[in-house]
Amino acid sequence: HKGSFGHALLIAGKRGMAGASVLASKAALRTGAGLVTVYGPECNRTIVQTAVPEVIFISDENQEKISCMPDLSFYNAVAIGPGTGTHHTTANALEELLHQVRVPMVIDADALNILSAEPTLLKFIPAASILTPHPGEFDRLFGKSDSEYQRFQKAIHLSADLQVYIVLKGAYTRIFTPEGDVYFNTTGNAGMATAGSGDVLTGV
């Protein structure tokens, strides 16, 4: 039954970015989550619950952006970032989340941009979490690399140090594991370079 397949919390969307919540939550359900809760501003409720009636929607106290966090005790995994924006209230909410969360996370998009401005928060990311930067986000997070090879080596060490998985997106996406393994996904194509594909990856 649905309770046997995990309950995922997706923290996503600000005003005008409800589509990120829709794409990510549909992907999470399609790839096997038993239950998905979307946490976002009240202005996105009707859009999300019309487009994806299977999801549970919990409203933030702010009408237009993420400003705080829900009770985390019900969830087996948490994803944050798609369409959230980087407003200081959202940044404060992410910091609150990282101090409380005890389950693996997927950290993507605007959440990565917030972390790049507050790198001290990286140490609070739970073990076995997944970070999904493209090269630009990776460099903002961990410092500019002089070459692709240097970025590659840096990702190997950071994945082990932080005990997280780093999915470095690109034409050939590289997946770095805490154990030091690296996997290459060579199936990408230029058709994926479009708005929303990152949101779907977060859900997956």
Side-chain angles (χ1 to χ4, degrees), residues 34-131:
L35 289 163
V36 175
T37 291
V38 172
Y39 182 82
E42 175 64 24
C43 63
N44 289 345
R45 173 188 292 276
T46 300
I47 297 168
V48 174
Q49 296 216 282
T50 301
V52 200
E54 306 95 316
V55 305
I56 302 158
F57 191 93
I58 299 177
S59 294
D60 190 279
E61 61 187 32
N62 190 297
Q63 291 289 309
E64 300 196 344
K65 61 180 72 73
I66 305 293
S67 66
C68 55
M69 286 295 132
D71 181 354
L72 301 174
S73 58
F74 305 103
Y75 308 107
N76 305 108
V78 177
I80 185 169
T84 61
T86 57
H87 192 274
H88 67 87
T89 57
T90 305
N92 292 340
L94 175 58
E95 181 173 2
E96 176 190 337
L97 172 67
L98 288 172
H99 285 297
Q100 295 179 14
V101 69
R102 296 294 181 268
V103 296
M105 300 177 66
V106 178
I107 301 175
D108 183 40
D110 285 326
L112 292 173
N113 293 324
I114 291 170
L115 286 176
S116 68
E118 294 288 344
T120 56
L121 295 177
L122 288 168
K123 64 185 178 184
F124 296 107
I125 297 173
S129 292
I130 302 169
L131 280 64

Side-chain angles (χ1 to χ4, degrees), residues 112-113 115-117 119 133-148 150-152 154-155 158 166 168 174:
L112 292 173
N113 293 324
L115 286 176
S116 68
H134 57 59
E137 290 168 335
F138 184 91
D139 286 356
R140 285 196 293 274
L141 266 172
F142 302 118
K144 191 163 178 59
S145 299
D146 295 327
S147 66
E148 194 66 33
Q150 186 184 49
R151 187 180 294 115
F152 183 91
K154 193 182 291 184
L158 287 163
I166 297 176
L168 185 55
R174 289 134 295 173

